[in-house]
Amino acid sequence: MTGTGKLLRLILRRDRMILPLWVLLLGILPQVYIAGFQKLFTTDAERLAYAHVSASNAGFTGLYGPLSGDSLGELVVWRAGFVPVMIGLAALLTVIRHTRAEEEAGRSDLIRATVVGRWAQLAAALLVTMTGCLVMGLIVTASMIGAGEPAGGSVAFGALFTLSGWLFAGVAAIAAQLTGSARGARMIAVLVLGVSFVLRMGGDISAIGDGRLDWLAWLSPLGWVQKIVPYGENAWWPAILSLLVTAVTLGVAGYLLTKRDLGAGLLAARLGPAHAAAGLSSPLGLAWRLHRGLLLGWTAGFAALGVVFGGVGTSVVDLAEGNSGVSDAFSKIGGTGSVTDAYFATTAGLCGLIVAIYAIQAGLRIRDEEQNGHAELILSTAVGRTSWAASHLLFALFGPAVALAAEGALAGATFGDVGVVLAGSLAQLPAVWVLGSVAVLLIGVLPRFAAVAWGAVAVSLLILLVGGLLEFPQWAMDVSPFTHVPQLPAASFTVVPEIVLIVIAVTLGGVGLAGLRRRDIPA
């Protein structure tokens, strides 16, 4: 453990922008939901009607989990039911970034050449991540108590957020020991997170039906933290179970760390064939080999999301019937069309923002290849910088289109109107490309600050989630490119904003590529 303190300071310095961003953004979400519900439901009767319809809806239950009661606190906990997935994702990415990714980049060799213990790097990454989750939980607890909610439920709510991050920090710590690449570790950890969500969703949906498969929720870490039921049972034994599992995963990760060499994973990489396939002879073929798993994963995830959103769409009319607040809320976010049109405009905007994460992730692959030394090998051949970068950017450009098309088509098919729902999803693409081009710009001009591109997504997410409800000024709303996208199907299509966004994306991307051609590699 020697040197853990210094590594802690190093990680805090490197994450001085990203870490506070996701901790604060996710921590204040419950407060935003309180403000939203207080605006939506001016009477107890409206809130009770909303809770009654939501509790029996399979789509809502699958997305957010079961609704335990009709109090304001329970509604907020239920509405924040997807946030633990986001917390788990942030926690696992942070742990892998400061463990396996450091080994893959060769920086761990330099660090371990000094007076640093074997476990110091893993311990520092876990301490930073778990402290961030703890701070987030404290923010949730304080904000809920400040809003007048019971202290016991607020503490339980904060514990739910904290433990969600701790559980998947432990999962990421194990994944980082298994493979020799950060990409492989991320895939393992994200796969565990995805399976946990599916198991939780299947168990909860079964519970409101015949209940034969409700035990599935007990196989999921997300299901465990959900069983705390803040403002309801306030049960602490699921929290204790989560703590024990977290301790076990950390212990296993520490033990596995002693069983491998620095830079290697416990799962030995398979040797490839002696001769590469003909499809790998071009930059595009190699890029397809590197990106195909990510593309298929995002497309499958968005297809599942489309089925859920389409199913929920059939109940939106029931929710809005007799409640002008719900209709107004959808109209503020989604436009002035019918309630279902406004709902699908809202889900299209949310999907556009989520898939922007994929666009940035695919674009940042250029920087990863550069830092790993792979780019130098490729560029030492007859491949030019532009064609090499363009082969990766094609996936940042068309990958989001494929994922959005899958979501829109399945949401429309589930709801019964493919055309309008699909058009609303695809209309988000120019805004997605603008955020993706920010990553290209930073890679080309300010490569050391390439990760700042995630900040553009965070700001856009904040504006989308709370801008309408908290009535941000228009200039603040205009910061997000998604504000300028036509809100299909709730509004008519206008081509000018789409063209302007595409021009901005092309300009930012072009400047980034020009910078990439002129600077040193690696930089």
Side-chain angles (χ1 to χ4, degrees), residues 4 45 55 71 81 97 109 112 177 214 227-228 252 296 303 306 335 344 372 391 398 400 406 438 454 466 513 521:
T4 302
S71 68
R97 166 178 155 81
D109 294 329
R112 291 283 291 276
Q177 316 308 318
D214 59 353
K227 298 293 183 186
I228 296 175
V252 170
L296 293 175
F344 280 113
N372 295 337
S391 65
F398 294 110
V438 172
W454 295 114
V466 306
L513 284 175
I521 291 182

Side-chain angles (χ1 to χ4, degrees), residues 202-359:
D204 289 342
I205 292 176
S206 176
I208 62 172
D210 56 16
R212 288 184 299 176
L213 297 176
D214 59 353
W215 52 270
L216 287 174
W218 289 103
L219 302 179
S220 166
L222 295 173
W224 302 339
V225 294
Q226 197 177 62
K227 298 293 183 186
I228 296 175
V229 194
Y231 305 107
E233 299 177 20
N234 288 336
W236 286 102
W237 60 268
I240 295 173
L241 172 64
S242 301
L243 274 175
L244 290 175
V245 172
T246 300
V248 170
T249 55
L250 298 184
V252 170
Y255 173 75
L256 295 179
L257 180 61
T258 65
K259 299 298 178 183
R260 66 176 180 85
D261 295 329
L262 181 66
L266 290 173
L267 302 177
R270 292 180 304 173
L271 292 175
H275 301 283
L280 294 175
S281 60
S282 67
L284 182 59
L286 179 59
W288 163 250
R289 177 68 179 81
L290 296 174
H291 285 268
R292 66 184 181 184
L294 195 64
L295 174 61
L296 293 175
W298 274 90
T299 303
F302 264 63
L305 206 57
V307 173
V308 173
F309 283 153
V312 172
T314 58
S315 300
V316 167
V317 176
D318 296 334
L319 284 174
E321 189 174 356
N323 189 333
S324 58
V326 174
S327 303
D328 291 343
F330 279 125
S331 298
K332 286 178 181 178
I333 303 172
T336 57
S338 69
V339 174
T340 51
D341 287 348
Y343 163 74
F344 280 113
T346 304
T347 58
L350 181 61
C351 288
L353 193 48
I354 295 174
V355 86
I357 295 173
Y358 171 40

Side-chain angles (χ1 to χ4, degrees), residues 373-385:
H374 299 165
E376 289 178 280
L377 297 176
I378 295 172
L379 296 176
S380 65
T381 66
V383 176
R385 293 189 182 195

Side-chain angles (χ1 to χ4, degrees), residues 456-474:
V457 178
V459 171
S460 298
L461 179 63
L462 181 67
I463 292 172
L464 177 69
L465 291 179
V466 306
L469 291 174
L470 299 185
E471 299 179 350
F472 280 8
Q474 190 58 45

